Amino acid sequence: MDVRELKIAGAYHCVPDTFPDARGHLASPYQEAAFTAATGHGLFPVRQTNHSRSRRGVVRGVHFTTTPPGQAKYVHCSQGRALDIVVDVRVGSPTFGVWESVVLTAEHPSGVYLPIGVGHAFVALEDTAMTYLLSVGYTAAHEQAVSVFDPTLDLPVPHDGTVILSERDRDALTLAEAADRDLLPHYDTSLAVEAALYGTPPAEAHTRPGTVPGTPGTPGPQGSDA
């Protein structure tokens, strides 16, 4: 398995080998040894799994969880194909406002790890099923959203009126509006919650060479399609 850290500090794309034969193929979207070698810890204790089915053109997100309690996720595509988007909504993060996208498919399954406090969205490129492993169970009062159409984020989402959204996602606040209402997770708090989850020192979590924890990045079209 190849594990690559994304532009968003603490988020990873995990790509396993795929083994095809006459029957089909076999792949392991999560592998503990490779994940631990890249991140310094294994996956969180799984408290809930979710399975979503989406028609082609559905967009879900940008979703995040009030922190604390926060929620870490491990996501992979179990049917179809999706453009998976990770957005740093942690106030004070060195990559605040930055996004990165990867294409997840069932044919060549890979997983995305989202740390505490990070936002998540995806575009169903065909009829698609997504599987989520979650560090905490669902609580409606803790679930928040930022608009996928926020022009300062400039996410790779169609703007031609063809996408299918829930009412909540269509009416979601912009990143700036959510920040003004103090709804966004804070970077230092997110690190502390994640450190408690894994038993690691928060000061060492997600720190990249040449970055200073707590220094905000600049929101804007800073993502890349992979």
Side-chain angles (χ1 to χ4, degrees):
M1 170 174 275
D2 177 63
V3 182
R4 175 180 68 91
E5 187 169 24
L6 302 179
K7 290 182 179 181
I8 293 76
Y12 292 85
H13 184 210
C14 306
V15 183
D17 292 329
T18 301
F19 302 97
D21 62 23
R23 301 167 297 174
H25 72 264
L26 173 70
S28 300
Y30 175 73
Q31 297 174 30
E32 183 91 352
F35 184 82
T36 300
T39 66
H41 55 74
L43 194 63
F44 47 77
V46 176
R47 304 302 185 195
Q48 183 171 317
T49 62
N50 287 352
H51 175 84
S52 71
R53 293 182 63 85
S54 301
R55 295 161 48 196
R56 178 179 180 179
V58 164
V59 176
R60 297 179 187 260
V62 176
H63 297 156
F64 64 95
T65 303
T66 300
T67 306
Q71 184 182 77
K73 301 178 181 178
Y74 194 87
V75 182
H76 69 92
C77 178
S78 45
Q79 178 186 330
R81 191 165 58 99
L83 183 68
D84 201 68
I85 307 169
V86 183
V87 185
D88 196 343
V89 297
R90 300 168 297 184
V91 175
S93 167
T95 51
F96 177 72
V98 173
W99 59 266
E100 187 166 353
S101 66
V102 297
V103 175
L104 300 182
T105 73
E107 187 65 24
H108 300 286
S110 60
V112 172
Y113 173 76
L114 296 97
I116 298 285
V118 167
H120 179 243
F122 72 83
V123 182
L125 302 176
E126 55 189 74
D127 290 354
T128 295
M130 299 285 279
T131 300
Y132 309 72
L133 308 180
L134 308 175
S135 65
V136 298
Y138 173 82
T139 301
H142 295 157
E143 296 307 308
Q144 308 286 353
V146 165
S147 176
V148 293
F149 299 126
D150 184 341
T152 66
L153 292 175
D154 193 25
L155 299 180
V157 174
H159 287 64
D160 56 6
T162 62
V163 299
I164 304 166
L165 293 136
S166 69
E167 183 176 352
R168 180 184 73 139
D169 289 348
R170 188 174 297 279
D171 295 338
L173 302 172
T174 66
L175 188 68
E177 290 169 339
D180 287 343
R181 299 188 190 187
D182 198 27
L183 296 176
L184 299 177
H186 287 256
Y187 183 64
D188 290 345
T189 302
S190 298
L191 290 188
V193 172
E194 182 141 326
L197 184 63
Y198 296 116
T200 57
E204 298 177 6
H206 307 174
T207 302
R208 299 166 182 251
T211 65
V212 178
T215 303
T218 302
Q222 303 177 46
S224 66
D225 296 341

